[in-house]
């Protein structure tokens, strides 16, 4: 029989396979060649140094929103509000980057920290309401997303607007971009944020696996009643888990503000980084290393999809469908387990 | 007098902004009352808007002035079928219902825009030839003051939405099907023990939510946006979900909340023209629905209590 560990690997792999299979079927139905389509996707993600750099760049915020959602999941919470936390983190980082002029060694880390604090503050509201009044965090975080969207647009328009819909550019001392990286990846927008994402993943692993505090968080996630019986404060743990999750998402926003764009635009809708983060966390089985790997996959899919229309004529939205199918099957892991077990039984 | 002027010019707008929200929120009530969280309302609305526009563009010549009505029906049917995916995942496959809803939202936008590109060669369709037109109801619109407020310059769909809310209330609270649906959402095991098929009722709840959200999305598309693109539905589904909760999972409450949110939306569009609202920054009106929903949930505006089995897959024989 299969062990749980094996299943944890099998389910994501199976889901990815099914996602690509559905994508291929759709391409065939609409008269495209799936081989051409997926070749264009691959080349568009890793075909040369530029595309590889872009894939890495896209994976950075995805890894961090993935960590945010995975961290919350481990303590039994669903942080669907990463979307809004990204916005406030992005705005806070850009504001700090524009307003202050400090030496880079201080300015850059402080800008990231400010973004983490903003994200944590945004996650504090649902955390507090969950802990003290038992309000379901999913609904509150969705509402907080929209509040973040409209409030950040308002603040940009009222206080930070330079031209059109964009804020002033951040000072060089807060920027994550570097000539060296841009040259190395032949002009890609890649920035040092990938180091931030790796540090973030390490921090999550360390907190959860190596500290008493992380042990308590996981205990609360497994069984809040048992955790309370063992003398742990469930309320405190819920609030702390949301604060840390919000911090990760806020940093994801900082990666966009300090790295990719060096500014912030007003948004008509969401960036989808938060929603894609749900996919990343799920596929990564809510582990730190899993989230990083899943972020790489989704980063590659997102960037690679842009090459599908010009090269193979396939609309890039195909990839959105593939990603959605992947999550759908990961979420339905029960049925995959059931099918695999059934299959095994019949073999014997 | 100024207040009456304001209301007279804003009420028709409130009615047509709230109609899509009412339809969708009623859908949300069906699904959530049966115990299935439906974050996918947004995606189901996208599907409805897409089908509504697609049908209208394709058959405008054939059906003439009936086209918008048939478009609505087509949108409801297709979105209902689409909602089966959510039902299969969350009822039969015991998937996390929130995640499944997120997947529904992603697939709807992806598929809608993919097909739009396939059929029309660009990410946005042309404007439809046969939209709904605003109507002025004879006789009723001649009533002083309220005639102009409620019965002139608005769409039939708004009245249908309001009547439907009353109908849904009747179904939920005065029929045996409604009793079963609510029982399944509160205590599935007790319902099962009494011979009610939890699976069947939940499927019906989710499919109805798809039909109604499809009507909502199509109403929005056929009265307000008049075309389809990735941005046509941006948040109305989540706002309807907020209306479900703000309305405490009650059809009439959800309708009231939807009208109130529609009022906030209308004010954010035309409020500027009125001295009372000229100085209020738009952002307060834009975030009002969401802030109020959080306050309601937190118990500052009455306690919002969800159906007890909301979000739990029912496994026969488990306690």
């Amino acid at each position: 029989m299969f062990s749980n560990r094996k299943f944890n690997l099998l389910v994501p792999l199976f889901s990815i396979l099914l996602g690509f299979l559905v994508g291929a079927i759709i391409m065939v139905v609409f008269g495209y060649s799936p081989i051409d389509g997926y070749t264009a996707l691959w080349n568009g993600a890793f075909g040369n140094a530029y595309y590889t750099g872009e894939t890495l760049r896209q994976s950075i915020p995805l890894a961090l929103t993935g960590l945010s959602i995975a961290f919350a999941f481990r303590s039994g919470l669903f942080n669907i509000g990463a979307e809004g936390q990204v916005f406030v983190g992005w705005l806070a980082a850009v504001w700090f980057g524009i307003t202050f002029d400090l030496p880079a060694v201080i300015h850059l880390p402080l800008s990231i920290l400010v973004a983490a604090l903003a994200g944590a503050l945004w996650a504090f509201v649902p955390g507090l309401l969950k802990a003290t009044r038992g309000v379901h965090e999913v609904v509150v975080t969705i509402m907080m997303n929209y509040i973040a969207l409209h409030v950040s647009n308002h603040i940009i328009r009222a206080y930070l607007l330079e031209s059109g819909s964009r804020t002033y550019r951040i000072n060089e001392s807060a920027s994550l971009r570097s000539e060296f990286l841009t040259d190395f990846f032949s002009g890609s927008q890649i920035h040092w944020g990938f180091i931030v994402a790796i540090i973030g993943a390490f921090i999550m692993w360390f907190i959860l696996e190596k500290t008493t505090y992380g042990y308590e968080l996981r205990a609360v996630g497994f069984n809040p009643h048992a955790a309370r019986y063992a003398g742990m404060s469930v309320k405190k743990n819920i609030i702390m888990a949301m604060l840390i999750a919000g911090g990760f998402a806020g940093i994801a926003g900082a990666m966009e503000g300090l790295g990719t764009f060096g500014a912030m635009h007003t948004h008509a809708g969401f960036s989808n980084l938060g929603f894609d983060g749900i996919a990343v966390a799920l596929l990564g089985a809510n582990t730190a290393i899993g989230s990083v790997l899943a972020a790489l996959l989704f980063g590659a899919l997102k960037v690679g999809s842009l090459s599908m229309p010009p090269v193979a004529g396939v609309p890039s939205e195909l990839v959105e469908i593939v990603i959605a199918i992947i999550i759908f099957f990961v979420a339905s892991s029960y049925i995959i387990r059931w099918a695999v077990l059934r299959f095994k039984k019949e073999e014997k | 007098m100024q207040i009456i002027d304001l209301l007279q010019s804003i009420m028709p707008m409130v009615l047509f902004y709230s109609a899509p929200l009412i339809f969708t929120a009623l859908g949300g009530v069906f699904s959530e009352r049966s115990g299935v969280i439906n974050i996918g309302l947004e995606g189901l609305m996208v599907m409805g808007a897409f089908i509504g526009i697609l049908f209208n563009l394709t058959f405008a010549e054939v059906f003439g002035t009936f086209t918008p009505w048939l478009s609505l029906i087509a949108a409801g049917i297709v979105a209902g079928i689409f909602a089966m995916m959510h039902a299969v995942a969350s009822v039969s496959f015991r998937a996390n219902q929130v995640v499944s809803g997120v997947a529904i939202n992603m697939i709807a936008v992806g598929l809608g825009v993919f097909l739009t590109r396939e059929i029309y060669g660009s990410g946005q369709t042309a404007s439809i030839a046969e939209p709904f037109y605003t109507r002025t109801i004879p006789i009723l619109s001649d009533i002083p003051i309220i005639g102009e407020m409620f019965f002139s310059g608005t769409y039939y769909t708004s009245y249908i939405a309001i009547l439907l809310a009353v109908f849904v209330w009747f179904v939920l609270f005065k029929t045996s099907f409604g009793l079963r649906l609510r029982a399944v959402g509160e205590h599935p095991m007790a319902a099962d023990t009494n011979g009610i098929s939890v699976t069947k009722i939940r499927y019906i709840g989710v499919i109805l939510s798809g039909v109604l959200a499809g009507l909502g999305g199509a109403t929005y598309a056929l009265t307000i946006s008049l075309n389809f693109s990735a941005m046509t539905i941006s948040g109305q589904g989540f706002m309807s979900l907020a209306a479900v909760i703000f309305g405490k999972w009650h059809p009439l409450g959800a309708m009231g909340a939807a009208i109130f949110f529609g009022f906030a939306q209308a004010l954010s569009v035309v409020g500027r023209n009125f001295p009372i609202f000229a100085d209020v920054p738009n952002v307060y009106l834009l975030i009002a629905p969401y802030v109020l929903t959080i306050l309601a949930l937190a118990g500052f505006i009455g306690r919002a209590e969800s159906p007890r089995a909301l979000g739990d897959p029912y496994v026969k024989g488990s306690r």
Side-chain angles (χ1 to χ4, degrees):
Chain A
M1 289 311 265
F2 285 103
S3 65
N4 248 335
R5 217 194 179 89
K6 251 188 185 160
F7 261 126
N8 284 343
L9 257 175
L10 256 180
V11 169
L13 291 179
F14 226 75
S15 307
I16 294 171
L17 208 68
L18 282 169
F20 278 108
L21 192 69
V22 172
I25 292 171
I26 293 176
M27 281 193 268
V28 170
V29 168
F30 285 94
Y32 300 110
S33 147
I35 296 172
D36 288 353
Y38 285 140
T39 312
L41 180 71
W42 173 264
N43 288 336
F46 299 109
N48 60 32
Y50 172 80
Y51 287 130
T52 312
E54 285 296 294
T55 293
L56 280 177
R57 199 247 326 142
Q58 184 66 52
S59 309
I60 296 165
L62 285 178
L64 285 159
T65 51
L67 290 176
S68 164
I69 288 146
F71 194 90
F73 254 133
R74 292 291 280 275
S75 27
L77 298 163
F78 199 147
N79 179 24
I80 202 166
E83 202 64 60
Q85 293 145 18
V86 165
F87 272 124
V88 293
W90 188 341
L91 183 67
V94 167
W95 165 75
F96 199 82
I98 294 170
T99 315
F100 295 88
D101 211 354
L102 302 163
V105 265
I106 309 173
H107 200 180
L108 180 57
L110 272 185
S111 302
I112 296 175
L113 192 69
V114 168
L117 286 176
L121 179 75
W122 218 249
F124 175 70
V125 177
L128 183 73
L129 289 177
K130 170 93 176 181
T132 59
R133 310 194 75 122
V135 181
H136 203 301
E137 73 281 5
V138 166
V139 183
V140 181
T141 47
I142 289 175
M143 303 301 132
M144 293 299 284
N145 283 343
Y146 282 96
I147 298 174
L149 175 69
H150 294 304
V151 168
S152 63
N153 279 343
H154 175 70
I155 291 176
I156 291 172
R157 287 200 192 102
Y159 306 106
L160 297 169
L161 204 64
E162 187 181 63
S163 63
S165 62
R166 183 174 59 76
T167 65
Y168 297 99
R169 296 211 159 272
I170 54 166
N171 291 320
E172 207 45 46
S173 52
S175 175
L176 280 164
R177 295 287 283 277
S178 84
E179 294 262 321
F180 166 72
L181 279 177
T182 309
D183 288 345
F184 189 83
F185 287 101
S186 16
S188 149
Q189 290 180 299
I190 175 81
H191 51 83
W192 289 116
F194 68 89
I195 295 178
V196 179
I198 292 168
I199 295 174
F202 178 77
I203 291 176
M204 166 165 160
W205 171 81
F206 188 81
I207 294 178
L208 281 178
E209 308 293 337
K210 296 289 160 194
T211 64
T212 6
Y213 170 64
Y215 179 81
E216 282 198 14
L217 271 182
R218 283 184 293 144
V220 169
F222 277 129
N223 188 337
H225 305 292
R228 183 176 299 122
Y229 189 69
M232 301 169 190
S233 164
V234 175
K235 286 184 183 183
K236 193 192 85 187
N237 276 301
I238 287 176
I239 294 177
M240 280 306 286
M242 279 309 283
L243 285 177
I244 293 173
F248 278 128
I251 295 174
M255 296 301 105
E256 299 294 89
L258 306 176
T260 309
F261 296 102
M264 186 171 180
H265 302 263
T266 56
H267 283 79
F270 288 126
S271 63
N272 274 337
L273 286 172
F275 291 129
D276 290 334
I278 298 170
V280 169
L282 275 174
L283 195 62
N286 299 321
T287 61
I289 178 78
S291 296
V292 172
L293 292 176
L296 278 172
L297 173 73
F298 287 136
L301 284 175
K302 295 244 153 192
V303 172
S305 74
L306 300 176
S307 296
M308 288 171 79
V311 179
V314 183
S316 58
E317 281 76 18
L318 181 86
V319 163
E320 298 294 320
I321 304 174
V322 171
I323 291 180
I325 301 279
I326 294 175
I327 325 182
F328 185 79
F329 281 110
V330 177
S332 310
S333 60
Y334 159 78
I335 204 70
I336 296 185
R337 274 162 208 251
W338 180 85
V340 172
L341 285 178
R342 182 74 177 262
F343 190 65
K344 276 273 132 189
K345 234 183 244 164
E346 276 174 10
E347 240 174 31
K348 281 174 198 168
Chain B
M1 269 298 115
Q2 203 188 13
I3 293 282
I4 290 177
D5 279 349
L6 174 72
L7 284 177
Q8 279 185 341
S9 66
I10 212 174
M11 269 327 280
M13 212 170 167
V14 173
L15 284 178
F16 75 70
Y17 266 110
S18 46
L21 302 180
I22 297 174
F23 279 122
T24 311
L26 292 174
V29 169
F30 269 120
S31 168
E32 304 234 330
R33 278 279 181 170
S34 79
V36 181
I37 298 177
N38 202 341
I39 304 280
L41 288 177
E42 176 92 2
L44 296 166
M45 275 185 94
V46 171
M47 213 14 105
F50 170 67
I51 297 294
I53 294 292
L54 180 71
F55 188 92
N56 201 304
L57 284 172
T58 315
F59 294 109
E61 307 254 308
V62 186
F63 298 115
T65 45
F66 288 110
T67 320
W69 297 104
L70 295 172
S71 309
L72 266 189
I73 294 168
I77 293 172
V78 174
I81 296 169
F82 187 61
M84 293 257 287
M85 240 182 108
H86 185 50
V88 170
S90 47
V91 181
S92 301
F93 292 0
R94 298 177 206 168
N96 181 320
Q97 297 170 2
V98 175
V99 177
S100 163
V102 170
I104 291 282
N105 291 339
M106 283 186 171
I107 293 189
V109 178
L111 201 63
V113 180
F114 180 91
L115 292 173
T116 303
R117 282 192 203 285
E118 275 304 313
I119 300 166
Y120 301 105
S122 98
Q124 186 173 343
T125 68
S127 286
I128 51 175
E130 289 286 347
F132 281 113
Y133 293 103
T134 52
R135 305 284 174 187
T136 296
I137 311 233
I139 304 168
L140 286 177
S141 62
D142 297 334
I143 303 172
I145 304 177
I146 62 163
E148 205 166 313
M149 267 185 221
F150 298 108
F151 299 109
S152 69
T154 195
Y155 299 99
Y156 286 139
T157 43
S158 303
Y159 306 117
I160 297 176
I162 291 168
L163 293 177
L164 192 67
V166 178
F167 180 69
V168 170
W169 166 80
F170 180 83
V171 170
L172 273 183
F173 292 96
K174 302 288 166 195
T175 66
S176 59
F177 167 74
L179 181 65
R180 285 180 188 164
L181 189 99
R182 286 182 291 130
V184 163
E186 293 291 331
H187 201 315
M189 196 169 66
D192 193 20
T193 314
N194 281 300
I196 300 169
S197 165
V198 177
T199 309
K200 195 176 107 194
I201 296 277
R202 285 191 170 173
Y203 264 81
I204 295 174
V206 175
I207 291 170
L208 281 178
S209 81
V211 172
L212 289 168
L215 290 182
T219 303
Y220 188 87
L222 297 169
T223 58
I224 298 173
S225 73
L226 307 185
N227 68 10
F228 176 81
S229 73
M231 295 306 294
T232 300
I233 302 296
S234 55
Q236 293 89 335
F238 285 114
M239 199 183 264
S240 308
L241 183 71
V244 174
I245 297 157
F246 194 56
K248 299 179 185 157
W249 289 272
H250 191 289
L252 299 178
M255 178 191 76
I259 291 178
F260 182 70
F261 293 170
F263 188 75
Q265 275 194 311
L267 265 190
S268 75
V269 178
V270 296
R272 230 150 257 303
N273 305 333
F274 295 91
I276 331 172
F277 292 101
D279 297 331
V280 181
N282 227 355
V283 63
Y284 293 114
L285 296 169
L286 289 171
I287 65 173
Y290 311 110
V291 173
L292 286 169
T293 303
I294 292 180
L295 290 177
L297 277 168
F300 296 118
I301 315 177
R303 188 107 179 89
E305 200 101 44
S306 67
R308 276 191 56 197
L310 188 60
D312 303 330
Y314 176 63
V315 184
K316 241 183 177 21
S318 72
R319 279 162 185 274

